[in-house]
């Protein structure tokens, strides 16, 4: 296969600044990944890079500590904690004919830089098996850092369940496109997906169903901790969501005492929303919330716990407002920050709360505005752009269409800082694509809906608004096909994209 190094590199998300050069660095059997003596914190990043590059190259790629600057033939990882211009996740990548040097202020920044390096190599670097060919990286300099701190994807594991290996593969794909949050929607009417020691039936009973009547499933706490660690090694923070006070039928069916009428109910496998509610005035409700949030907080090194709060149509407004106020205090009592869907804008929010905008209906958008006015930061997930479960067009068999069709361009051509009136750049924490799984039965289905739209959302989160254009993006997106094929991603080959 010809080594098709593009004239200028087709990196996604688009870096802040790229200065192309001439020639190429070649990765060889003698290449080492080297760290400075004070840069031990970069070792895990070096190891992961070596693990990524070994299968296809067959090279040893030892990770070594050296004195002084990286020598000829080396790929150097350098930490410069005092270099503020690099930001928390930024990096500078210098590829010379004889060596590669990656500099960052933090290990996270180095990791992001290694993902750029991965995209600069021939796509077969990710094919998972040995290929005999030259491994070139074009000479260039890149200076890069993200626009937004929050660049996420939400996966609904409640409507259909996805196993640990599937989630790990998804985390790898998020990392490749420099996303840094995985929000897991762990409970809904149709299923409860995380073991809670003090309320075991949530998982054993509530976890045993899913949409359409499949067998469901749940994560043990040990499995969940493993996922959190796997993600953390790739600088992805897992954000757990337990939806309340609505979307709780699986919990009510597991513990009828949580329902206002106290009556047993069978599990639910349909796709209606808005019919279930916790019982706002029962004391046991707050034992439940506190136990669940407490156990989740212990499993969550990240600062956020998502409490849902959407579509509580079966809860009276005054009760909803009271409930969210109490939940906020519970979340804070475990040292965490509360995130909720935009509806929590109805309640009184304290500093540190985060709201997730989703419904493009103007009356609903006003709730995000209200939350921002109260000082909450906003994560942008407007359904018409960022809901990966919307159909691409009329021919898409998977997915829903309540927010309209969402083409690859619709998912890309918008600006989070200009989406909701009164919610400007200073209020926006970042972006998150949401994949709800009513129609998504397998991880292959999930990939089909997520890719390539998720890649566009990743670029919106990372790259400056100025300098982004659909015309340029579709070329760079098209150039991702060989890499996605190497990784065996089941992506939708949208006809408007010039796939390579
Ligand atoms: C809504 C609803 C979810 C659905 C999803 C389907 C939110 C925040 N609540 O988004 O329960 O699964 O739409 O697109």
């Amino acid at each position: 296969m010809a080594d098709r190094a593009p004239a200028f590199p087709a990196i996604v998300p688009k870096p802040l600044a790229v200065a192309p050069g001439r020639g190429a660095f070649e990765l060889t059997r003698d290449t080492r990944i080297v760290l400075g003596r004070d840069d031990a914190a970069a070792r895990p990043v070096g190891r992961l890079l070596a693990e990524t590059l070994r299968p296809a190259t067959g090279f040893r790629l030892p990770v070594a500590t050296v004195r002084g600057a990286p020598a000829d033939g080396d790929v150097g990882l350098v930490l410069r904690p005092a270099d503020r211009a690099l930001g928390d996740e930024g990096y500078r990548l210098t590829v010379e004919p004889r060596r590669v040097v990656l500099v960052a202020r933090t290990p996270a920044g180095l990791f992001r830089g290694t993902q750029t390096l991965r995209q600069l190599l021939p796509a077969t670097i990710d094919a998972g098996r040995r290929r005999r060919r030259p491994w070139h990286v074009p000479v260039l300099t890149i200076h890069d850092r993200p626009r937004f701190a929050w660049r996420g994807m939400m996966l609904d594991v409640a409507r259909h369940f996805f196993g640990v290996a599937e989630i790990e593969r998804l985390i790898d794909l998020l990392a490749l496109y420099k996303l840094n949050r995985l929000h897991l929607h762990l409970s809904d009417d149709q299923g409860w997906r995380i073991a809670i020691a003090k309320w075991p039936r949530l998982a054993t009973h509530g976890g045993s169903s899913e949409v359409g009547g499949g067998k469901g499933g749940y994560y043990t706490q040990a499995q969940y901790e493993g996922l959190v660690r796997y993600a953390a090694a790739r600088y992805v923070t897992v954000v757990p969501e337990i939806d309340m006070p609505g979307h709780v039928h699986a919990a009510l069916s597991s513990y009828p005492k949580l329902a206002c009428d106290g009556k047993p109910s069978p599990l639910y496998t349909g796709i209606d929303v808005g019919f279930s509610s916790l019982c706002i005035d029962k004391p046991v409700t707050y034992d439940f919330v506190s136990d669940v949030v407490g156990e989740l907080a212990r499993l969550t090194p990240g600062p956020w716990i998502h409490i849902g709060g959407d579509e509580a149509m079966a809860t009276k407004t005054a009760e909803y407002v009271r409930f969210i106020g109490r939940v906020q205090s519970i979340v804070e009592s475990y040292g965490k920050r509360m995130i909720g869907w935009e509806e929590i804008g109805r309640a009184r929010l304290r500093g540190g709360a985060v709201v997730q905008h989703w419904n493009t209906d103007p009356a609903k958008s006003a709730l995000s505005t209200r939350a921002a006015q109260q000082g909450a930061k906003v994560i942008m997930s407007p359904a018409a752009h960022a809901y990966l479960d919307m159909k691409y067009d009329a021919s898409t068999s998977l997915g829903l269409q309540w927010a309209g069709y969402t083409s690859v361009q619709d998912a890309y051509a918008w600006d989070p800082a200009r989406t909701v009136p009164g919610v400007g750049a200073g209020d926006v924490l970042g972006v998150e694509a949401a994949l709800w799984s009513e129609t998504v039965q397998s991880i292959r289905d999930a990939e089909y809906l997520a890719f390539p739209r998720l890649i566009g959302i990743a670029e919106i989160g990372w790259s400056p608004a100025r300098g982004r254009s659909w015309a340029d993006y579709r070329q760079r997106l098209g150039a991702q096909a060989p890499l996605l094929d190497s990784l065996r991603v089941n992506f939708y080959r949208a006809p408007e994209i010039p796939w390579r």
Side-chain angles (χ1 to χ4, degrees):
M1 201 203 298
D3 196 359
R4 255 202 283 151
F8 74 94
I11 302 162
V12 187
K14 187 178 186 170
L16 191 59
V18 182
R22 277 160 163 269
F25 170 85
E26 184 173 359
L27 215 62
T28 69
R29 67 180 61 262
D30 299 322
T31 302
R32 299 179 307 165
I33 295 173
V34 300
L35 319 168
R37 309 228 298 183
D38 300 328
D39 294 350
R43 182 167 289 274
V45 177
R47 274 208 211 107
L48 265 187
L49 176 62
E51 278 169 27
T52 307
L53 304 180
R54 275 176 198 141
T57 60
F59 302 153
R60 251 175 18 93
L61 301 167
V63 181
T65 303
V66 296
R67 218 187 263 260
D72 280 3
D74 290 342
V75 174
L77 305 184
V78 181
L79 280 172
R80 230 172 257 158
D83 192 340
R84 303 209 150 260
L86 292 164
D88 288 344
E89 291 180 273
Y91 63 91
R92 199 156 27 233
L93 174 64
T94 311
V95 181
E96 298 168 1
R98 289 168 175 279
R99 58 176 202 165
V100 173
V101 183
L102 188 54
V103 181
R105 202 161 80 88
T106 63
L110 286 177
F111 181 78
R112 303 293 173 232
T114 61
Q115 301 308 300
T116 299
L117 193 56
R118 200 171 155 193
Q119 290 192 16
L120 289 168
L121 280 155
T124 41
I125 196 71
D126 272 293
R129 59 197 166 85
R130 181 111 188 242
R131 299 291 173 104
R132 286 178 199 280
R133 55 160 304 149
W135 299 101
H136 284 144
V137 185
V139 167
L140 48 61
T141 309
I142 295 180
H143 179 203
D144 204 7
R145 57 186 288 175
R147 178 179 180 198
F148 292 111
W150 189 290
R151 307 177 306 279
M153 173 175 176
M154 187 214 77
L155 181 65
D156 171 7
V157 297
R159 269 57 174 270
H160 282 98
F161 182 66
F162 302 93
V164 168
E166 294 171 326
I167 304 287
E168 287 181 353
R169 170 174 161 84
L170 182 63
I171 291 168
D172 287 337
L173 293 171
L174 299 187
L176 175 58
Y177 292 104
K178 302 189 175 72
L179 291 161
N180 65 357
R181 306 281 184 258
L182 173 64
H183 164 184
L184 291 175
H185 182 75
L186 290 168
S187 71
D188 213 303
D189 292 314
Q190 300 85 349
W192 185 285
R193 306 299 179 206
I194 175 95
I196 299 294
K198 289 196 181 129
W199 298 73
R201 272 178 61 79
L202 291 170
T204 55
H205 173 76
S208 69
S209 63
E210 60 183 8
V211 167
K215 69 179 177 15
Y218 65 88
Y219 309 116
T220 64
Q221 293 201 356
Q223 285 173 330
Y224 188 81
E225 284 179 295
L227 275 180
V228 168
R229 267 198 309 276
Y230 188 92
R234 287 142 187 90
Y235 301 91
V236 173
T237 303
V238 177
V239 180
E241 177 187 353
I242 295 295
D243 206 343
M244 55 183 104
H247 290 275
V248 289
H249 181 78
L252 304 187
S253 174
S254 306
Y255 290 96
K257 66 180 171 186
L258 291 173
C260 277
D261 66 8
K263 290 204 181 117
S265 53
L267 291 162
Y268 177 70
T269 60
I271 64 167
D272 287 345
V273 295
F275 61 88
S276 60
S277 179
L278 289 173
C279 195
I280 306 306
D281 288 324
K282 272 192 180 175
V284 67
T285 298
Y286 301 93
D287 297 339
F288 165 79
V289 173
S290 179
D291 291 343
V292 170
V293 171
E295 290 191 29
L296 269 189
R298 197 176 48 67
L299 297 171
T300 302
W304 304 281
I305 302 284
H306 200 307
I307 58 91
D310 57 317
E311 299 177 320
M313 280 98 91
T315 316
K316 294 198 188 83
T317 302
E319 296 194 334
Y320 177 87
V321 166
R322 218 167 345 113
F323 176 79
I324 297 296
R326 288 189 70 168
V327 171
Q328 178 168 224
S329 302
I330 291 170
V331 170
E332 288 172 359
S333 75
Y334 291 104
K336 301 293 180 187
R337 293 170 62 176
M338 178 177 80
I339 307 187
W341 297 101
E342 68 206 2
E343 286 91 333
I344 67 163
R346 287 205 195 105
R348 187 165 323 149
L349 302 176
R350 278 194 288 274
V354 175
V355 66
Q356 186 163 11
H357 171 69
W358 66 279
N359 200 324
T360 348
D361 171 320
K364 295 283 178 55
S365 291
L367 294 170
S368 298
T369 312
R370 212 150 109 195
Q373 283 162 352
Q374 300 188 62
K377 293 283 183 237
V378 183
I379 298 166
M380 284 292 169
S381 305
H385 301 289
Y387 267 32
L388 301 173
D389 56 315
M390 293 304 120
K391 292 176 183 290
Y392 290 96
D393 60 30
S395 72
T396 316
S397 57
L398 294 168
L400 305 175
Q401 58 186 91
W402 67 262
Y405 298 131
T406 302
S407 67
V408 177
Q409 184 170 3
D410 293 332
Y412 180 75
W414 61 285
D415 183 345
R418 295 158 173 272
T419 299
V420 178
V423 181
D427 304 308
V428 175
L429 199 53
V431 286
E432 190 172 291
L435 181 49
W436 300 95
S437 61
E438 285 94 333
T439 66
V440 181
Q441 301 192 35
S442 67
I443 201 72
R444 283 187 65 75
D445 290 353
E447 288 179 5
Y448 184 82
L449 289 170
F451 292 91
R453 289 180 292 194
L454 178 64
I455 301 175
I457 304 285
E459 175 148 310
I460 290 177
W462 182 279
S463 310
R466 204 191 242 265
R468 283 208 288 116
S469 80
W470 169 247
D472 161 70
Y473 174 69
R474 54 191 280 285
Q475 298 293 335
R476 282 181 295 111
L477 179 59
Q480 300 302 301
L483 180 55
L484 295 171
D485 281 334
S486 279
L487 291 163
R488 286 172 287 279
V489 175
N490 181 34
F491 67 103
Y492 168 55
R493 287 183 184 260
E496 66 275 24
I497 306 299
W499 299 110
R500 290 259 186 87

